[in-house]
Amino acid sequence: MSHPAATTEDGAEAGRDARLPSPAAVIVGVGGLYVAQSVIGGVTFQGLPAVLRQTGASLNDIAFILLTVLPWSFKFLWAPWIERIRLPASGGNRSRLVVGAIGAVGVASLVAAAFTGPTMLGAVTTALVIGAFASATVDIACDGYAVESLAERHRGWGNAAQVAGAYLGSAIGGGAFLILIDYVGWRDATLVMAGVLAALGLPFLLGRSPLQPHRAGADRPSLGAALKRPEVRRGIALVGLYVLGQKWAMVLISPFLVDAGLSLTTIGLFNGFMGTAFGVLAALLGGWATRRYGAAPVMMASLLAQVAATAGFALAAALAWKSVYGLGALTVLNSGVMAFGFVALYAELMGRASLDQAGVDFTLFQCGDGLVSLIGWQLVGMFGDRLGFVWCFGLAAAIGLGAAAALPRLARPLSRT
């Protein structure tokens, strides 16, 4: 005989699921937005550093463009405001309006960057900062919409769409973009990227309105409400720890490959098409492994594999190893390992976000990611030329080992009543 409370709870959950949009429609729509966001990131963090390095820029000069990560690091400051517009107190859901208006600013920023050119570092960085602001703001609405529109059993696919979308976007922005530059130049290649952004937003904008409107009378979204919840506080700490081990060496890879003598087209192939194929496959494998074994074991395996890949780059730098295939294999492995682990990380974080302000809660997690990444990348920019690739990659590997040792404590699931 079933327990009455359990029956009521199951019935309420089934009723909520019945009012949710089609999972396929949600995943296709938000997946396109996740790809679009990563196109801007790929252009900024993979494409532009390689172009600048080829023109003789120092690591300190390249670090200047990392200002574009600031909107991603501090978007929690305006996330409650965006959520109040998206989810008005009277009820309803304005996700498409927010995404359409702010997304147009992101497209315009790439058009401006196209006519600025990479030699005008201050101007192109300003344009990309505006693009990053637009992309980060769209992400607030997109994440909130995904959490509230996907039933728990479908969230693994949502996480896979997020991570796989990030890799597809990086392939376009950091891979295809570099190849286009070699053939048509900066302006035309960047204009193509702007067109790609507009096309990727169409499935979301032309889709049906949400079938699960925001409930009227819910508390106003706020940072205070988020930080009062232990799930959110522990989630922020978990993100910071995990990024320590995964991302600090990322900004070094493209400049290192340029110094090793690889062409922009070759780097684009490794960062783009090969890295994406392996990254998407690893994301799917990570989703399966997370469902079967839980998030913590998958994150631990990914961290340890990341340490091995980073140590491989340090060894290659120490030995002045310039094998195209060897360095390409390390680059592709690095992409796959990150995808495998981040599916597990965000699967856990999605479950810690409140349905009444999912955009705010999930934004706090992502800002933790951005802030820790920014600190590491700035340190690399400040000391990279002085220390060299061997020490930078080696220190990043050592930090990853420390993060792996501390992970079990923070990844331990919260007790539930």
Side-chain angles (χ1 to χ4, degrees):
M1 181 177 177
S2 61
H3 192 283
T7 303
T8 302
E9 182 177 340
D10 292 344
E13 183 66 20
R16 175 182 176 272
D17 290 358
R19 295 190 302 271
L20 293 177
S22 160
V26 174
I27 291 168
V28 169
V30 300
L33 296 181
Y34 287 135
V35 175
Q37 292 158 25
S38 293
V39 168
I40 293 181
V43 167
T44 304
F45 299 120
Q46 292 179 303
L48 188 55
V51 173
L52 290 174
R53 190 65 170 181
Q54 193 181 57
T55 60
S58 69
L59 290 178
N60 190 52
D61 290 334
I62 294 172
F64 182 69
I65 67 171
L66 296 178
L67 290 173
T68 57
V69 84
L70 288 176
W72 286 94
S73 302
F74 294 101
K75 63 178 181 171
F76 67 89
L77 294 175
W78 62 89
W81 181 67
I82 294 297
E83 281 294 87
R84 291 169 191 170
I85 295 174
R86 191 179 72 88
L87 304 174
S90 59
N93 194 304
R94 298 173 181 162
S95 297
R96 287 195 297 167
L97 175 63
V98 171
V99 168
I102 305 301
V105 176
V107 173
S109 73
L110 276 190
V111 173
F115 290 98
T116 299
T119 56
M120 300 177 62
L121 187 56
V124 77
T125 300
T126 299
L128 291 176
V129 166
I130 294 171
F133 175 83
S135 181
T137 304
V138 166
D139 195 54
I140 296 169
C142 181
D143 287 337
Y145 177 80
V147 171
E148 69 200 13
S149 299
L150 288 172
E152 185 174 355
R153 65 182 181 276
H154 297 307
R155 286 178 180 168
W157 292 112
N159 298 322
Q162 184 178 42
V163 176
Y167 277 84
L168 288 171
S170 294
I172 297 169
F177 179 59
L178 288 176
I179 296 172
L180 280 172
I181 289 176
D182 263 351
Y183 287 94
V184 302
W186 169 270
R187 187 190 66 182
D188 289 347
T190 310
L191 288 175
V192 169
M193 293 298 104
V196 168
L197 285 188
L200 287 168
L202 289 178
F204 186 89
L205 296 176
L206 298 179
R208 295 175 60 186
S209 298
L211 301 176
Q212 176 73 3
H214 180 60
R215 62 187 181 91
D219 292 337
R220 286 166 61 84
S222 68
L223 294 176
L227 295 174
K228 286 179 182 177
R229 300 176 58 235
E231 296 96 331
V232 172
R233 295 196 300 270
R234 285 174 60 92
I236 294 171
L238 175 62
V239 168
L241 175 72
Y242 196 74
V243 170
L244 282 175
Q246 284 277 30
K247 285 193 173 181
W248 278 24
M250 187 175 73
V251 75
L252 291 168
I253 294 175
S254 288
F256 173 67
L257 295 178
V258 170
D259 283 10
L262 277 65
S263 69
L264 293 185
T265 296
T266 302
I267 296 171
L269 287 171
F270 288 139
N271 275 341
F273 300 111
M274 296 181 186
T276 296
F278 194 59
V280 170
L281 179 62
L284 295 174
L285 180 62
W288 171 84
T290 300
R291 184 182 181 92
R292 183 175 179 86
Y293 301 109
V298 174
M299 286 189 285
M300 177 63 76
S302 178
L303 270 178
L304 294 177
Q306 186 71 44
V307 168
T310 306
F313 278 112
L315 183 61
L319 299 177
W321 192 40
K322 297 187 178 181
S323 166
V324 172
Y325 295 109
L327 294 176
L330 277 176
T331 302
V332 171
L333 174 65
N334 185 76
S335 296
V337 164
M338 290 187 66
F340 182 75
F342 270 91
V343 168
L345 174 65
Y346 282 102
E348 179 166 337
L349 295 176
M350 188 174 279
R352 298 187 181 199
S354 166
L355 291 177
D356 285 334
Q357 55 169 47
V360 176
D361 293 0
F362 213 78
T363 292
L364 281 170
F365 300 144
Q366 291 183 323
C367 287
D369 182 334
L371 282 169
V372 175
S373 298
L374 179 62
I375 291 169
W377 294 340
Q378 288 295 329
L379 289 174
V380 167
M382 290 170 60
F383 299 106
D385 287 319
R386 192 177 312 166
L387 295 177
F389 287 114
V390 177
W391 274 100
C392 286
F393 280 125
L395 288 172
I399 291 170
L401 277 178
L407 180 68
R409 183 175 182 85
L410 278 177
R412 196 174 300 159
L414 293 171
S415 60
R416 299 184 183 276
T417 57

